[in-house]
Structure formats: structure tokens, C-alpha cells
Amino acid sequence: MKKLLRFIPIFLLIFILAACGTQQDSEKKVSDNKQETTQQDQAFPVTITDGTDKEITIDKKPEKIVSLLPSNTETAFALGLDKEIVGVSDFDNYPEQVQSKEKVGGQEFNVEKIISLKPDIVLADASQAHNSKDGLKQLEDSGIKVIAVNNASSFADTYKTIEMIGAATGTKEKADEIVDGMKAKVEEIKEKAAGISKGEQPNVWMEISAPPDIYTAGSGTFMNEMLEMLGAKNIAAAEEGWPKYSEEAAVKANPDVMIITYGYYVKDAVEQAYSRKGWEEVSAIKNKRVYSVDSDKVSRPGPRLVEGLEEMAKAIYPDTFK
């Protein structure tokens, strides 16, 4: 968050100037200028290359921002851009302040509504640049800068996204701070997990939706990367993306640990997993090793990914990550 400048009352300033003379006044001005430069964080104009390899020049620090993705919104808030954000998608749910922001639609965003908010920039992503090309072009034609961040599916991609949004919004220094903090925390968790013997590294079943339509996380997802960081074995690692499994296949895989991500909309999801018929002999069920983690933290490319990794670590290795 940007630190607010503390202003000296005018009557006190007069006494200070009278007592200390113009030299200290000059020193104060230099100090204030340095503080102001830190707040601005970087010089404009800036030119960035977005997730579609398009060069975009931003003439001045954006004063109004619309975000079309929850992940971009989370990043923008983490960068201290609460006041600048004037519109968010219908799917935004974090942080709590998003509830007071104007909603501009979901996958099909409301072009007229966005234009009416008069944003300087719109934060989209590369998939929207392809699937919603006409709508984004209308925004650009109205004079709004549209920045399509890369489609992130890894921690490295997420770091780039945070840095890109930071560069575009005049908060590069804060973005670097966030990324450095994330990297440090990831290394801390990986180092601790590296001390766990191979015999203790479990087979893990990630469950994205409950029966009868069971989906899991394969390679190319944050969840698979997290399991790799923790030295755990993803049962669906050979599959790409979000494969659908039959109950028979899931049971046959016999996971040691089961992690579900839909507990936020399925009541008593963990208890329901323990009571499934036909799953009684699955190790994760017999040994009471079914856990629920926050879906957003393990799938949304933003600063909270590290929290998701830590939640996974605590579920898989409760004795090591207390």
C-alpha cells in the first residue's frame, strides 16, 4: 500500500522556517521530492509487450482501471490500486472491497458499461483477446488502452503477469516486491518438503468436481506444479489439463491423499467423500486423509498462489508443515 504523506500544519511550518532558515527548507523539499518519486514509482510514458505480443504505450499513470478477470483484480488490489479500480467482472470475489465496485459482466462483458466508466486501461487476458476480439476492439476504438496479460498456468507465468500489471499501472516497485516475496516463500516451502523421504511422498488425487462427473488436475496446471514442488505424486500427471475420470479409475488409483477444491459450494464435501460407496478401501478414505483447499488459491494466477501451495503442503505433510 502506498504510504500517505504527512503534512505539517501551516502555523508550525512558519515557526520551523523562522527558526531553521532556508537551508533546512531546501532539505525538506528534496526529501519531499524523493518521497513523491517513490510514490509515483516509475516514469511515464511506458511501453509494454502484453500477452499477445502487442506493444502498448501508456502515456501516464492510470487513474481509472477496469479488470475483466478475478486474477487481474486480485493483483491490482495487492499493488495498492483500490481507488483506481472502477470496474470488475461479475466473477470477482476477492478482496472484499470488490463488492463495492461496478460490475461489467462475465465472459461476455458489457462494452457500453465499461466505456461509461471512462477507464484509462482495461486489464484482460490473452484468451479474451482471441475470444472477445470485437468487444476489446470497441474499447480500443474509444481510446481505452487494453492490456491482455499472458494466460498463466505456472508460477513463472504468474510472476510475469504481476510484473506486467505493475509496469502498466506505475507500481513496478511494488510488483517486484510481491514477486520476490512469492519466490522466497516458494523456496522456503520447497526446501522444507525436500527433507521428506521418498517413502513418505504420497500419491495424491486432486478432485475438482464430485461424482458422478469427476474431474481432476493433470499436467500444465497450478495444482500439478504445486504437487511437484512438494515432491508428491499426482495420480493424473500423465493427463493434460483437466481430465475427466470414472469412479472406477479413481478408486483403482488408490490415492494416499485426496484433496478436493469444491468445498466452497458443496456442503460437507469432505464428509461426503468419506461416505462414498465403493471407496471404502481407498487409502485416503480409510486413513482419514481427505482435505479441502481453497479453489481460488490453487487455481487463480495471482499473489495468493503461495497461500495455496502452503495449504497443499499442510494437507499432504501435516507433521512437517504445522
Side-chain angles (χ1 to χ4, degrees):
M1 296 289 292
K2 296 181 181 177
K3 295 182 179 178
L4 297 176
L5 295 174
R6 296 181 179 179
F7 295 97
I8 301 174
I10 188 64
F11 67 88
L12 182 56
L13 181 58
I14 292 171
F15 283 118
I16 292 174
L17 289 174
C20 302
T22 58
Q23 183 176 354
Q24 287 191 356
D25 182 46
S26 298
E27 290 174 356
K28 179 182 181 298
K29 287 180 180 178
V30 170
S31 175
D32 284 349
N33 286 337
K34 287 181 179 179
Q35 200 167 8
E36 185 178 348
T37 300
T38 300
Q39 283 194 339
Q40 290 176 348
D41 199 14
Q42 68 192 53
F44 281 85
V46 296
T47 299
I48 64 170
T49 302
D50 75 359
T52 64
D53 292 327
K54 179 179 176 182
E55 282 197 353
I56 301 169
T57 298
I58 302 166
D59 298 322
K60 63 178 183 177
K61 180 175 171 61
E63 296 178 356
K64 290 185 177 182
I65 300 169
V66 167
S67 171
L68 301 181
L69 286 172
S71 54
N72 287 345
T73 302
E74 284 198 23
T75 297
F77 269 95
L79 292 171
L81 297 168
D82 183 345
K83 292 181 180 179
E84 287 83 352
I85 299 169
V86 295
V88 297
S89 82
D90 293 351
F91 303 119
D92 280 66
N93 59 358
Y94 186 91
E96 187 177 343
Q97 296 96 303
V98 299
Q99 303 306 325
S100 64
K101 303 295 182 180
E102 290 285 346
K103 302 299 185 292
V104 297
Q107 291 180 333
E108 294 185 4
F109 50 84
N110 188 325
V111 174
E112 290 75 18
K113 180 65 173 293
I114 295 172
I115 292 174
S116 73
L117 295 173
K118 299 180 180 180
D120 300 301
I121 64 171
V122 166
L123 298 174
D125 77 344
S127 62
Q128 287 175 320
H130 179 266
N131 299 327
S132 305
K133 187 183 299 184
D134 292 341
L136 295 181
K137 188 176 186 306
Q138 289 182 57
L139 297 178
E140 290 175 332
D141 290 344
S142 71
I144 299 169
K145 302 285 186 180
V146 175
I147 299 168
V149 303
N150 53 305
N151 290 326
S153 59
S154 68
F155 276 72
D157 289 342
T158 302
Y159 300 150
K160 290 178 183 177
T161 294
I162 294 171
E163 290 166 348
M164 183 185 299
I165 294 175
T169 58
T171 56
K172 183 180 183 301
E173 188 175 303
K174 181 62 177 178
D176 291 342
E177 179 185 319
I178 291 171
V179 170
D180 288 345
M182 291 177 71
K183 288 179 178 179
K185 187 64 177 178
V186 167
E187 288 307 311
E188 178 188 325
I189 292 171
K190 286 171 65 176
E191 185 177 346
K192 192 177 287 189
I196 297 167
S197 66
K198 287 190 175 181
E200 295 178 282
Q201 295 172 338
N203 293 314
V204 179
W205 169 250
M206 297 295 307
E207 194 166 279
I208 313 305
S209 64
D213 295 319
I214 303 179
Y215 284 86
T216 187
S219 61
T221 64
F222 289 118
M223 296 176 208
N224 185 70
E225 185 179 16
M226 289 176 182
L227 292 176
E228 289 178 344
M229 288 176 172
L230 297 171
K233 306 174 189 72
N234 181 9
I235 284 173
E239 304 284 347
E240 183 74 24
W242 311 99
K244 185 176 182 179
Y245 265 62
S246 66
E247 283 198 68
E248 291 77 14
V251 168
K252 185 177 179 180
N254 191 30
D256 302 304
V257 174
M258 179 175 167
I259 298 177
I260 60 179
T261 65
Y262 49 83
Y264 68 97
Y265 70 89
V266 174
K267 186 178 180 181
D268 300 325
V270 172
E271 288 71 18
Q272 286 190 41
Y274 285 135
S275 62
R276 288 180 190 172
K277 292 183 179 180
W279 289 64
E280 295 86 357
E281 296 305 310
V282 172
S283 294
I285 302 298
K286 285 197 302 183
N287 298 321
K288 299 295 181 182
R289 299 218 57 195
V290 180
Y291 307 95
S292 177
V293 299
D294 188 314
S295 175
D296 293 341
K297 291 181 182 179
V298 295
S299 62
R300 186 175 288 178
R304 291 196 297 160
L305 269 183
V306 175
E307 295 178 30
L309 176 62
E310 191 164 34
E311 280 193 20
M312 295 265 278
K314 288 178 179 179
I316 296 169
Y317 306 117
D319 292 334
T320 302
F321 293 90
K322 294 181 180 179

